[in-house]
Amino acid sequence: MATENEKVLVGVIGGSGLYHLDNLTFVKTVNPDTPWGYPSSPITICSLPSGSLIAFLARHGPHHTFSPSTVPSRANIAALKSIGVRAILAFSAVGSLREEIAPGHFAIPTQIIDRTKGIRPASFFEGTTIVAHTAFGDPFSVKLVKWLEGRVEKVLQEEGRGVVLHKEKCIICMEGPQFSTRAESIMYRSWGGDLINMSVLPEAKLAREAELSYALVATATDYDSWRPHSEVVTAAEVFKTLQSNADTARHVAATILEELCAATLQGDLLSEEKGSMQFSIMPRSAAQKEEDAQKLAFVLPEYFNSTA
């Protein structure tokens, strides 16, 4: 656990192509052993010029060894919370379901449609005798999203490379690892989907259960498979823009992280999620096992530490 003089309030989760951040001073790596195992990569603690600390975690592992379906998301979120993180800025490569969201463009979504298939554990309460029903109508932190929109857009405009930021978009999360069929891609568009990826869930759901503010910066690499006169998406197509997007994402992170750390210290950005699980957890009963309460205390000490 972080000490008072080692507060790491902001965590960054890097997606495909984003395995490190630039212009930061390395402090240490930590690899917390959580009740759900180890995170997908050791967490790198870095110092900003002000001295503020941030945590970086590679979603797919430092050498991209975890597919979207096997990412240990519960361990990732639990590990970040255990070191003091309260706000998560996640990055992910995505496909575009809209002509105006061109490869190379960025987006900050506000809604999710879940097309995963029950393969991925999606709750810290799964497999325990304790039940919780978490509010997820707004799957991303509204305050954090609004805070990010203006700042990310300004950074992209100042960079002068013509990268556009799209707002108020809906992202489809599919299972993979295969890409969509043409029929599926067209169906997702008809549902109102604007972006598609394989990683935002259960990450966002788990962040909400852990009472962490969470927002996603999505970087478009391709047009998925819905365009009738174009080739379908392939890994080779994705790789064409992946590195350029990752370079831009590193620049965005390097520019806004200082201000984000200061904003989280002030507390208002975190007020939306703080205490949100209090009435989501079903009342304690004799049928609930003590070891389950102790397990959940790792990620929700606010409610279970008294029994740990």
Side-chain angles (χ1 to χ4, degrees), residues 4-249:
E4 278 301 305
N5 59 356
E6 283 187 315
K7 283 189 175 179
V8 189
L9 294 179
V10 175
V12 177
I13 297 179
S16 298
L18 187 61
Y19 306 111
H20 68 276
L21 297 178
D22 293 337
N23 303 319
L24 300 173
T25 301
F26 173 82
V27 175
K28 62 181 178 179
T29 58
V30 295
N31 196 25
D33 184 8
T34 80
W36 300 274
Y38 288 97
S40 53
S41 75
I43 298 169
T44 303
I45 310 296
C46 296
S47 174
L48 297 165
S50 67
S52 297
L53 300 178
I54 66 105
F56 179 82
L57 187 153
R59 181 186 292 116
H60 298 284
H63 305 292
H64 206 111
T65 52
F66 290 98
S67 75
S69 300
T70 62
V71 169
S73 294
R74 290 190 294 186
N76 288 349
I77 298 300
L80 287 170
K81 176 140 189 200
S82 76
I83 63 172
V85 166
R86 291 298 177 268
I88 293 176
L89 176 60
F91 289 87
S92 178
V94 303
S96 168
L97 297 172
R98 302 292 164 186
E99 192 70 39
E100 66 271 18
I101 306 176
H105 286 189
F106 279 39
I108 301 178
T110 52
Q111 280 297 322
I112 304 172
I113 295 175
D114 188 353
R115 282 284 292 166
T116 60
K117 298 176 180 177
I119 296 170
R120 317 172 188 195
S123 172
F124 290 111
F125 295 83
E126 186 173 321
T128 75
T129 55
I130 300 172
V131 174
H133 298 285
T134 308
F136 203 59
D138 293 308
F140 301 99
S141 170
V142 175
K143 288 186 176 181
L144 181 55
V145 165
K146 292 302 180 188
W147 188 94
L148 285 168
E149 285 176 343
R151 287 157 179 86
V152 172
E153 188 167 47
K154 181 181 178 184
V155 173
L156 294 176
Q157 289 173 347
E158 290 175 346
E159 194 181 23
R161 293 173 57 184
V163 177
V164 176
L165 177 69
H166 299 271
K167 309 169 188 175
E168 301 287 332
K169 299 303 178 185
C170 177
I171 186 167
I172 306 279
C173 188
M174 63 175 289
E175 189 58 60
Q178 297 83 5
F179 294 119
S180 307
T181 66
R182 288 192 187 273
E184 288 170 334
S185 195
I186 291 167
M187 179 182 69
Y188 296 147
R189 279 168 49 83
S190 74
W191 286 0
D194 303 298
L195 311 162
I196 185 165
N197 88 333
M198 302 177 189
S199 297
V200 70
L201 295 176
E203 200 170 87
K205 289 182 176 180
L206 295 165
R208 181 61 53 83
E209 283 191 346
E211 295 190 346
L212 302 180
S213 298
Y214 178 93
L216 182 77
V217 175
T219 62
T221 58
D222 58 86
Y223 274 120
D224 204 49
S225 300
W226 58 270
R227 296 167 102 203
H229 304 296
S230 297
E231 295 296 320
V232 299
V233 58
T234 65
E237 183 70 19
V238 168
F239 291 146
K240 287 181 183 178
T241 54
L242 194 62
Q243 190 54 56
S244 175
N245 284 356
D247 291 342
T248 304

